[in-house]
Amino acid sequence: MSSKLFKILFIIADPKGYADVSQKLSDVRSAVFEITTVNTLAHAFVTLQNGSFDVLLVNLKVRDYREISDLRNLILAAKEAPVIVVSDSYDAVQALEAVRAGAEDYTVGSRMNSAAFERVILYSIERHLTRQKTALQFSVSRVLAESTSLYEAAAGILSALCEFAKFGRGEIWQADASRSRLSLLTSWPHGPQDPLAEALPPSATVCRADDIVNKAFGSCMPSSVSEPRAAVAIPLSVGAGVLGVLALFGTGTQAGDEDFAKLLSSVSGQLGQFMARKTAEEERESLATERLIILDSTSEGIYGLDRNGCMTFMNKSAGRILGCVPEKVLGKKSHLLFHHTHPDGSAYPESDCAIARVIVTGESHRTDREYFWKLDGSHVAVDYSAKPAFKDGEITGAVISFSDISDKREMEVELRHAQKLEAVGRLAAGIAHEINTPIQFIGDNTRFMQDSFGQTLEMIGKYEQIAEGAKSAQFRPELIIELDAIREKIEWSYLRAEIPKAMEQALDGVNRVATIVRAMKEFSHVDRSSEKTAADLNKAIESTLIVARNEVKYVANVETDFVPLPPVVCHLGDLNQVFLNLLVNAAHAIAEATAGTDKKGRIVVHTRCDGQFVVVSVTDTGTGIPETVRGKIFDPFFTTKEVGKGTGQGLALARNIVVDKHGGTLTFETQMGKGTTFYVRLPVNGIPTTHEAVPA
């Protein structure tokens, strides 16, 4: 079996370093590394423009490297390849800066053997690729969440796919109402310079029997060819119907990647779902006579209500999701069938039902934070929208469309745990730094006591010799002179004063390390069951502050104001993540506000009791939240940070934990130029009381 070829761009400062690395990589048998060398960053930027590489190795001693921003610029330029710093000697500060700047790894070339170099390079490539795939998935989800039209969504997804996988061209074709013909919806790249776009106007149809797009459309199965040019076509389908075709041309860097194939299938499915939803919405408005056919072709559940909340129609998907036969529920109260109980078992009065209010107020409602009940007594998590139906200006009922998001909820749990791991990973370097300081002076004092003990043994030996002579009445006075000489040589008066201090400092260092480790253990608390347990939130916040210290200490001073709190019934591991997210966000806001100065901001953490609730507030002196985005900060994937910093999941997951899991509230107060305060309000007994998270 032939070894896979990896292209490396090596930015070297010393030819000896290149020779060492080249020799070690040439000994690798499981992969082949083709190395291109340059000796300046400027040359590297030019080389990146003219070719592609799988990984970059850089020695920061190249002559035109000045500061960490130079490394950041290189990482941006090599966006499709990971960057590994290969140093001549270990520099802890430089290593931490490099990793924080985005370097995939930091190695010391002289300490690495062939196997180690191979692992570092291959693992870095795989981690980088995995993050790119995750970012692509986030990008697709965000495009679908923000797009108002099918064309807008298709163009955004096609651009993201082609740029990520290096396909030369991409096309999305849409089926007509009869599902018999295709028309070109959009392509990438597009514009007058594109000959295919000129030859095939938007109304053009596929007519060649051997065309890969037509083949995928006709067979309802993915199709691919390698000659005369590589291409792959995937049907965009919902159920048994094909709504369109996604076609990609060119080999693409991910063409043989099984994980990428799965990702491509997932993206096609999402686009197909989006296409189905948009198609259904458009056809409901213009083709009333074909309403039932259209409704039954979508994977979304849809049913209608009259003025009294009774069922007027239900599509097959709704019947499948809710476990009922549509014809048998017509005329019955939908609330009594599907919306009668909260997931915790408490009653859900119809007077509190958002769907019932739509019929009364005429205002649409949408949420992904509720459940519908099946007729077998189980419940299913749904993303639903309820819109009023009008006739002659009067409300005649409502139309409810919904999707089963049970899998999405499970993914949110996985995302929450993944983010916790990501946060711990991000803080790992800081924790290592915090532990390294006491470990260093423990080692220094231990070595001092070791050396001192050897010197003291010499003096004790002389004392023993004098004692033996005194016992046998053969005492020799010159032994006293020798003893004095030893005491003077080892500086006994100094050792007698310093040894106790060294022992005390070593013990203090041990206690500091134990404190950090204990805080890390408490922060990483894992709920061993789905049941909530009583916990001390003050102690939990103290542990989180220790864990986050290295992230915060360079930009802000932290003040705490804790009052005695009753034990709170909660999932402590999840709440630890909420507190960490709020602290890190506060530190980032302050860092932005104090950028370019040597000033430090202030973070105040305050706890208090409020009847049967406890309130935890985190106040920062950062930039504040702009008014234009205040309504979006709890939305999944929304972030005000620059690209590559944050996934937009922190506050969304915090809201899910506080509001949905604990029945509390997550609110905030903010003032531009002054700072922001977030309030976490939790019921002491752990019983949910609200379903809102809003600005204060």
Side-chain angles (χ1 to χ4, degrees), residues 445-455:
N445 282 295
T446 302
R447 282 188 290 273
F448 168 73
M449 289 187 286
Q450 182 184 40
D451 295 340
S452 301
F453 182 70
Q455 296 172 331

PDB file of all heavy atoms in Angstrom, residues 445-455:
ATOM      1  N   ASN A 445      13.619  24.667  46.806  1.00  0.00           N
ATOM      2  CA  ASN A 445      13.828  24.489  48.247  1.00  0.00           C
ATOM      3  C   ASN A 445      14.211  23.055  48.582  1.00  0.00           C
ATOM      4  O   ASN A 445      15.015  22.816  49.488  1.00  0.00           O
ATOM      5  CB  ASN A 445      12.556  24.885  49.007  1.00  0.00           C
ATOM      6  CG  ASN A 445      12.403  26.394  49.121  1.00  0.00           C
ATOM      7  OD1 ASN A 445      13.202  27.068  49.759  1.00  0.00           O
ATOM      8  ND2 ASN A 445      11.384  26.932  48.469  1.00  0.00           N
ATOM      9  N   THR A 446      13.646  22.099  47.840  1.00  0.00           N
ATOM     10  CA  THR A 446      14.005  20.695  48.094  1.00  0.00           C
ATOM     11  C   THR A 446      15.470  20.448  47.751  1.00  0.00           C
ATOM     12  O   THR A 446      16.200  19.761  48.492  1.00  0.00           O
ATOM     13  CB  THR A 446      13.103  19.767  47.276  1.00  0.00           C
ATOM     14  OG1 THR A 446      11.735  20.016  47.608  1.00  0.00           O
ATOM     15  CG2 THR A 446      13.417  18.306  47.576  1.00  0.00           C
ATOM     16  N   ARG A 447      15.931  21.007  46.613  1.00  0.00           N
ATOM     17  CA  ARG A 447      17.350  20.848  46.261  1.00  0.00           C
ATOM     18  C   ARG A 447      18.259  21.535  47.286  1.00  0.00           C
ATOM     19  O   ARG A 447      19.334  21.026  47.624  1.00  0.00           O
ATOM     20  CB  ARG A 447      17.587  21.409  44.858  1.00  0.00           C
ATOM     21  CG  ARG A 447      17.131  20.477  43.739  1.00  0.00           C
ATOM     22  CD  ARG A 447      17.554  20.975  42.369  1.00  0.00           C
ATOM     23  NE  ARG A 447      16.831  22.168  41.978  1.00  0.00           N
ATOM     24  CZ  ARG A 447      15.660  22.150  41.368  1.00  0.00           C
ATOM     25  NH1 ARG A 447      15.092  21.003  41.083  1.00  0.00           N
ATOM     26  NH2 ARG A 447      15.056  23.280  41.036  1.00  0.00           N
ATOM     27  N   PHE A 448      17.805  22.706  47.778  1.00  0.00           N
ATOM     28  CA  PHE A 448      18.596  23.395  48.808  1.00  0.00           C
ATOM     29  C   PHE A 448      18.711  22.524  50.057  1.00  0.00           C
ATOM     30  O   PHE A 448      19.804  22.368  50.630  1.00  0.00           O
ATOM     31  CB  PHE A 448      17.938  24.734  49.163  1.00  0.00           C
ATOM     32  CG  PHE A 448      18.510  25.388  50.391  1.00  0.00           C
ATOM     33  CD1 PHE A 448      19.762  25.988  50.376  1.00  0.00           C
ATOM     34  CD2 PHE A 448      17.795  25.383  51.583  1.00  0.00           C
ATOM     35  CE1 PHE A 448      20.280  26.573  51.524  1.00  0.00           C
ATOM     36  CE2 PHE A 448      18.299  25.972  52.718  1.00  0.00           C
ATOM     37  CZ  PHE A 448      19.553  26.575  52.700  1.00  0.00           C
ATOM     38  N   MET A 449      17.585  21.929  50.489  1.00  0.00           N
ATOM     39  CA  MET A 449      17.637  21.087  51.690  1.00  0.00           C
ATOM     40  C   MET A 449      18.471  19.826  51.447  1.00  0.00           C
ATOM     41  O   MET A 449      19.157  19.339  52.343  1.00  0.00           O
ATOM     42  CB  MET A 449      16.217  20.713  52.114  1.00  0.00           C
ATOM     43  CG  MET A 449      15.436  21.893  52.696  1.00  0.00           C
ATOM     44  SD  MET A 449      13.834  21.440  53.371  1.00  0.00           S
ATOM     45  CE  MET A 449      12.930  21.163  51.865  1.00  0.00           C
ATOM     46  N   GLN A 450      18.416  19.305  50.198  1.00  0.00           N
ATOM     47  CA  GLN A 450      19.236  18.133  49.884  1.00  0.00           C
ATOM     48  C   GLN A 450      20.727  18.457  50.002  1.00  0.00           C
ATOM     49  O   GLN A 450      21.494  17.707  50.609  1.00  0.00           O
ATOM     50  CB  GLN A 450      18.902  17.649  48.476  1.00  0.00           C
ATOM     51  CG  GLN A 450      19.660  16.391  48.057  1.00  0.00           C
ATOM     52  CD  GLN A 450      19.363  16.009  46.626  1.00  0.00           C
ATOM     53  OE1 GLN A 450      19.265  16.879  45.769  1.00  0.00           O
ATOM     54  NE2 GLN A 450      19.207  14.729  46.366  1.00  0.00           N
ATOM     55  N   ASP A 451      21.133  19.602  49.427  1.00  0.00           N
ATOM     56  CA  ASP A 451      22.537  20.009  49.525  1.00  0.00           C
ATOM     57  C   ASP A 451      22.921  20.293  50.972  1.00  0.00           C
ATOM     58  O   ASP A 451      24.013  19.911  51.428  1.00  0.00           O
ATOM     59  CB  ASP A 451      22.782  21.259  48.665  1.00  0.00           C
ATOM     60  CG  ASP A 451      22.573  20.978  47.185  1.00  0.00           C
ATOM     61  OD1 ASP A 451      22.626  19.785  46.795  1.00  0.00           O
ATOM     62  OD2 ASP A 451      22.357  21.942  46.426  1.00  0.00           O
ATOM     63  N   SER A 452      22.015  20.972  51.695  1.00  0.00           N
ATOM     64  CA  SER A 452      22.300  21.325  53.086  1.00  0.00           C
ATOM     65  C   SER A 452      22.436  20.086  53.950  1.00  0.00           C
ATOM     66  O   SER A 452      23.259  20.031  54.870  1.00  0.00           O
ATOM     67  CB  SER A 452      21.197  22.229  53.645  1.00  0.00           C
ATOM     68  OG  SER A 452      21.088  23.407  52.882  1.00  0.00           O
ATOM     69  N   PHE A 453      21.612  19.063  53.654  1.00  0.00           N
ATOM     70  CA  PHE A 453      21.665  17.840  54.453  1.00  0.00           C
ATOM     71  C   PHE A 453      23.019  17.155  54.302  1.00  0.00           C
ATOM     72  O   PHE A 453      23.595  16.656  55.268  1.00  0.00           O
ATOM     73  CB  PHE A 453      20.542  16.898  54.017  1.00  0.00           C
ATOM     74  CG  PHE A 453      20.481  15.622  54.825  1.00  0.00           C
ATOM     75  CD1 PHE A 453      20.081  15.644  56.158  1.00  0.00           C
ATOM     76  CD2 PHE A 453      20.835  14.412  54.268  1.00  0.00           C
ATOM     77  CE1 PHE A 453      20.033  14.475  56.898  1.00  0.00           C
ATOM     78  CE2 PHE A 453      20.787  13.248  55.004  1.00  0.00           C
ATOM     79  CZ  PHE A 453      20.385  13.268  56.326  1.00  0.00           C
ATOM     80  N   GLY A 454      23.553  17.143  53.051  1.00  0.00           N
ATOM     81  CA  GLY A 454      24.863  16.530  52.848  1.00  0.00           C
ATOM     82  C   GLY A 454      25.953  17.251  53.621  1.00  0.00           C
ATOM     83  O   GLY A 454      26.844  16.631  54.225  1.00  0.00           O
ATOM     84  N   GLN A 455      25.885  18.602  53.648  1.00  0.00           N
ATOM     85  CA  GLN A 455      26.873  19.368  54.411  1.00  0.00           C
ATOM     86  C   GLN A 455      26.706  19.154  55.908  1.00  0.00           C
ATOM     87  O   GLN A 455      27.689  19.050  56.670  1.00  0.00           O
ATOM     88  CB  GLN A 455      26.728  20.857  54.067  1.00  0.00           C
ATOM     89  CG  GLN A 455      27.050  21.172  52.611  1.00  0.00           C
ATOM     90  CD  GLN A 455      26.719  22.611  52.255  1.00  0.00           C
ATOM     91  OE1 GLN A 455      25.819  23.206  52.840  1.00  0.00           O
ATOM     92  NE2 GLN A 455      27.453  23.160  51.297  1.00  0.00           N
TER      93      GLN A 455
END
